[in-house]
Amino acid sequence: MEKRDKILAPALVRGKWGYINKACDFEIPLQFDRAFGFYEGLAKVVLGEKCGFINTVGEFVIPPIFDIDGSYNFFNDGFVKLKLEEKSFIANTDGEEIDVSKFEEIYGFSEGLAAVKTNGKWGYINKLGEMVIPPKYSTTYEFQEGLAEVELNGKWGYIDKIGNEIISLKYTDASEFSEGLARVEFGNGYGFIDKRGNETIPGKYEHASIFSEGRVAVAKDKYWGYLDSQGNPITEFKYNEESPFHYVLNEPQAFSEGLAAVQFSNKYGFINSEGIEVIPFKFSMTHGFKDGFAFVVNSLGGFINSDGDEVVPLRYWEAKRFSYGLAPVKFEKKWGAVNTDGDEVIPVSLDYLGIFRKCSSPFERIKE
């Protein structure tokens, strides 16, 4: 009988993929040419040149007849986009499909709506495939916190889920809302607005991230610092200096579990939500904290806890975040998993190991 609350990870051995549990047993045997993580009870798998979706006992709910390219890798908000030659579909977690080929393009669902393109313009449909916000925008994004950023004639603003332009299209750039605030560009710099369009943080910064745990990283004079939600600085502007020789923004990480990774003098350390440097600047790279641990690197990598103590020795070539007490780790060309005591509870013998997830969990916006 299927159990959607299983905790499984995709694993690769000698060219075939299956799904392994925390006890190192293959609950879904090695049989696929590619396998992705479970979300909302289903996982995308590849057989030959086609893909479909299986449940937690390995049964196909969506048959492997769809194109790999053009079909999404995960369910989000109860639906997934599928592609079959010239046709596009959206399917729910029961495998029921709606043909949406009349649209030129379609993105995934978020908060009950999906952006679609028709006659060169973007609007939104509901989960029945019905157009609920007419296509009139040049660019659209997903709904977050009840609003979506949209662009027309080079200007950005925000609409609600019935298409009302809640915040006028007057900005030169805009981000999604996070914690009730959105980053916008006023023309001479980045600042933040609330959901009524009120300017809460002036547009005077060269760059800005989005809010996390009541804090946000902003850049001034090529250095980064952090503000609180009222715009008050909680650190100096001295972190993550932007190099004139690179086009990639050297942006500090978002706060996670009360800590944020920042770079100073080319080394990473961590600050707390008060801006106090609590873990010294001695690492060359970090993923940031998740489930109480952060992967850090100095030539090789391991994990530290929130006190900065090394709990998994820095001896691995690569790692993914902790989840349900285990973290995938790579040594040379093989993968295994360690627990929070640093023990290798899954031997480093697999060709690949993904993150352990509760199969019923929704899609997570977390870098892996």
Side-chain angles (χ1 to χ4, degrees), residues 2-5 8 19 28 35-45 52-63 72-76 78-80 82 91-96 357-363:
E2 182 191 1
K3 293 184 178 180
R4 291 169 60 90
D5 59 352
L8 300 175
Y19 291 85
I28 300 176
F36 297 82
F38 274 89
Y39 294 100
E40 301 186 8
L42 298 177
K44 179 181 178 179
V45 295
F53 283 79
I54 60 170
N55 61 19
T56 60
V57 294
E59 301 167 336
F60 276 100
V61 176
I62 295 175
Y72 279 19
N73 293 342
F74 51 83
F75 272 81
N76 189 20
F79 279 80
V80 69
L82 301 169
N92 63 22
T93 52
D94 292 324
E96 299 166 336
R357 290 193 179 88
K358 183 177 286 187
C359 297
S360 59
S361 295
F363 172 66

Side-chain angles (χ1 to χ4, degrees), residues 211-317:
F211 269 89
S212 175
E213 299 184 3
R215 301 290 185 260
V216 68
V218 296
K220 183 174 69 173
D221 298 328
K222 296 185 178 180
Y223 287 89
W224 289 78
Y226 285 83
L227 311 176
D228 65 18
S229 56
Q230 284 74 49
N232 302 311
I234 65 164
T235 70
E236 300 176 48
F237 288 86
K238 65 177 185 178
Y239 299 117
N240 298 68
E241 181 184 10
E242 291 186 24
S243 168
F245 305 107
H246 296 85
Y247 292 100
V248 178
L249 296 180
N250 186 22
E251 186 175 325
Q253 295 185 13
F255 270 88
S256 177
E257 302 182 359
L259 297 170
V262 293
Q263 186 189 65
F264 183 72
S265 297
N266 295 317
K267 290 290 184 180
Y268 278 92
F270 290 83
I271 61 172
N272 66 15
S273 59
E274 303 303 315
I276 299 170
E277 296 168 359
V278 292
I279 297 177
F281 297 92
K282 60 180 182 178
F283 305 110
S284 59
M285 192 272 284
T286 176
H287 286 179
F289 276 89
K290 180 66 177 175
D291 286 358
F293 301 91
F295 181 64
V296 294
V297 175
N298 273 330
S299 68
L300 295 176
F303 286 87
I304 60 172
N305 63 20
S306 58
D307 293 323
D309 301 323
E310 186 178 305
V311 293
V312 177
L314 275 65
R315 63 187 180 201
Y316 295 102
W317 290 26

Side-chain angles (χ1 to χ4, degrees), residues 28-184:
I28 300 176
L30 295 160
Q31 58 188 295
F32 307 111
D33 295 314
R34 182 73 173 92
F36 297 82
F38 274 89
Y39 294 100
E40 301 186 8
L42 298 177
K44 179 181 178 179
V45 295
V46 174
L47 286 175
E49 300 297 321
K50 296 294 182 179
C51 70
F53 283 79
I54 60 170
N55 61 19
T56 60
V57 294
E59 301 167 336
F60 276 100
V61 176
I62 295 175
I65 62 173
F66 295 95
D67 300 339
I68 301 169
D69 294 334
S71 296
Y72 279 19
N73 293 342
F74 51 83
F75 272 81
N76 189 20
D77 203 18
F79 279 80
V80 69
K81 174 191 171 183
L82 301 169
K83 186 79 172 178
L84 180 56
E85 296 177 350
E86 299 302 317
K87 286 196 170 187
S88 295
F89 300 87
I90 53 173
N92 63 22
T93 52
D94 292 324
E96 299 166 336
E97 300 166 10
I98 298 175
D99 189 340
V100 289
S101 300
K102 61 184 177 181
F103 303 115
E104 297 163 21
E105 291 185 60
I106 178 171
Y107 288 155
F109 276 90
S110 177
E111 298 188 2
L113 299 178
V116 294
K117 186 178 183 181
T118 184
N119 296 322
K121 296 293 183 180
W122 288 88
Y124 291 85
I125 60 171
N126 62 19
K127 291 182 177 180
L128 299 176
E130 301 166 336
M131 185 72 74
V132 293
I133 298 177
K136 65 176 184 177
Y137 298 104
S138 303
T139 313
T140 56
Y141 283 96
E142 291 183 352
F143 277 88
Q144 299 291 327
E145 299 187 5
L147 298 176
E149 65 269 37
V150 295
E151 179 262 331
L152 184 61
N153 298 324
K155 295 295 183 181
W156 291 83
Y158 295 84
I159 60 173
D160 65 15
K161 289 195 279 189
I162 57 175
N164 296 319
E165 293 184 359
I166 300 299
I167 299 173
S168 300
L169 278 66
K170 60 183 180 180
Y171 303 106
T172 52
D173 191 18
S175 78
E176 72 271 26
F177 272 89
S178 176
E179 301 183 359
L181 298 172
R183 178 191 67 224
V184 293

